[in-house]
Amino acid sequence: MKYDAIVVGAGLAGLVAAAELADANKRVLLLDQEPESSMGGQAWWSFGGLFLVDSPEQRRMGIKDSPELAWQDWQGAAGFDKHEDEDYWGMKWARAYVDFAAGEKREWLAKQGVKFFPVVGWAERGGYLAEEHGNSVPRFHIVWGTGPGIVKPFENRVRESMKRGTIIYQPRHQVTELLCSQGMIVGVSGNILVESQVNRGEASSRDIKDQFAYYAQAIIITSGGIGGNIDLIKENWPQRLGNPPKNMISGVPAHVDGKMLHVTEKAGGRIVNRDRMWHYTEGIKNWNPIWHKHGIRILPGPSSIWLDATGKRFPAPNFPGFDTLGTLEAIQATGYDYSWFILTEKIIEKEFALSGSEQNPDLTEKSIKKVLSRILPGPTAPVKAFMEKAKISS
Amino acid sequence: MNKLTGSELIKLEEVERQIKARDLEINNSFTKDLQITALRGARNYIGDKLIRVAKPHKILDPNNGPLIAVRLNLLSRKTLGGLQTDLSCRVLDQAGNPLKGLYAAGEVSGFGGGGVHGYRSLEGTFLGGCLFTGRQAGRAAAKELM
Ligand SMILES: Cc1cc2nc3c(=O)[nH]c(=O)nc-3n(C[C@H](O)[C@H](O)[C@H](O)COP(=O)(O)OP(=O)(O)OC[C@H]3O[C@@H](n4cnc5c(N)ncnc54)[C@H](O)[C@@H]3O)c2cc1C
């Protein structure tokens, strides 16, 4: 056989899996439907915030964290309620992940050159009791260089292996079927899409040039979620959050189409917890869109007054940055799919950050001078651009 | 605000009343308004005090700059459920048995097990979930291939 393993999707998860396989001297075929310009997937666009527990950055800021506290918070946030069934493996992964975040994670990344911004952010503050949702302490560690900074080391490892010939990377290969034989998954087949010159994150053509089929002993699916597929979101929308919203803007590129989930299900894989999703309530339309309905999330500090569409202040603890899902539920209960922040110039200056690598050029470009200017009066340049060009009324 | 939405949903007096009420709660260093208590609590964390949480002030005091309203939309992002996998990232079938030869990692596997987050996330957990499951999938598959 030509390949030992096939990895479907060259996002962060796929790059890491491929790099690890190549390090173990396996021959890997790495497939992705997008052109090479989009290598790294969503992670490249991300803000690069990483959950770490009891890190040196936290300690330097006077934060006392521990695996016990983090596990308490994780369970409070998760609210696992299908212990013997759909949550069975998720809970085991959660326990292992909290230990990873409190242990090996930081050093493993540090060895690969990943550094962090010294001020640890406090996301999902909760606002309930100790055993309920929320981070008891700040844990959001921003990678120096944001999303591209977390992709880079793994992309480098993959490119090194490409040079050595242990990883073959084939962009524009869209997997549409998993091939089974005698109860085993033995390969993948699909469409070779026409060449595309689009820039990173832009939708690429789905026109088909040819077909392919490849075989290997191990197939690893790393194709991402459904966040770019509004139809799938609506189809799986949980009843507890009311009717699916009429209007949503898109926080992810179009390649996050979720189609591989169905492909894998057809081959016998089980999908669980379909109705659990993590959408944001503080989206603004990008005045300079890269993908269809491109929205940006405001990462809000806690001071803005939050009103529903009819002008009524949301009850506690639906404050900015406290409980994303709880506030989404409160918004959905109003029957409208939007809400309002009212704030002052003093608040916007200090408290408005925008999620995503391209909205934080100072951190993404690793410019200490520009980062320091955040302490000065005035909003960051990207926030200012939104104030001028987007529909923020004052 | 009404111009932006083309509706008459927002009543100025209503909004003003609520913010005035909130501003009245600023005068003491203690208050019953939980949002203000939360602001003060957050500023005990040096990181928030430095770059994240404004000093609590009266929203309607003109010294604090013009008022700003931002319309917030719902924004799609992450999938918390997905392919159910065991701790070796092997994809499981309906009966809970691994499908031979098939692994999954990252968001498609709900960042591990088909739902490592349960219903809610503590944030910053997604990239790390890709790193952790991607690494495990690569290592587990490599071991199986020995
Ligand atoms: C703007 C933004 C900000 C974010 N900020 C953070 C943050 O601060 N912290 C955090 O933890 N997370 C953050 N996230 C989330 C995080 O980036 C993603 O959850 C994560 O990168 C998903 O990685 P993945 O490898 O699982 O999937 P993806 O990045 O979606 O990659 C999947 C790849 O598979 C390919 N593919 C899909 N289907 C097929 C097919 N059928 N055939 C071939 N190829 C296919 C796709 O083209 C894509 O390249 C953010 C996301 C965005 C968009």
Side-chain angles (χ1 to χ4, degrees), chain A residues 185-219:
Chain A
I185 306 296
V186 295
V188 298
S189 68
N191 305 317
I192 305 178
L193 305 174
V194 295
E195 305 291 314
S196 170
Q197 304 300 323
V198 298
N199 293 319
R200 182 186 285 282
E202 293 173 3
S204 63
S205 162
R206 286 294 177 259
D207 290 346
I208 297 165
K209 190 169 85 175
D210 209 345
Q211 314 279 308
F212 69 85
Y214 290 109
Y215 296 85
Q217 239 175 297
I219 314 289

Side-chain angles (χ1 to χ4, degrees), chain A residues 8-14 31-34 40-43 45-49 140 173-175 222-224 251-252 255-257 260 355-356, chain B residues 77-78 106-107 111 124-128 130:
Chain A
V8 182
L12 184 59
L31 301 176
D32 201 294
Q33 60 189 356
E34 294 307 309
Q42 295 177 67
W45 294 101
S46 79
F47 192 34
F140 193 77
H173 280 56
Q174 178 189 49
V175 174
T222 50
S223 54
V252 301
H255 67 68
V256 192
D257 60 25
M260 262 322 278
S355 182
Chain B
R77 187 90 98 212
K78 288 139 192 162
E107 196 165 341
F111 302 93
T125 53
F126 311 100
L127 293 167
C130 291

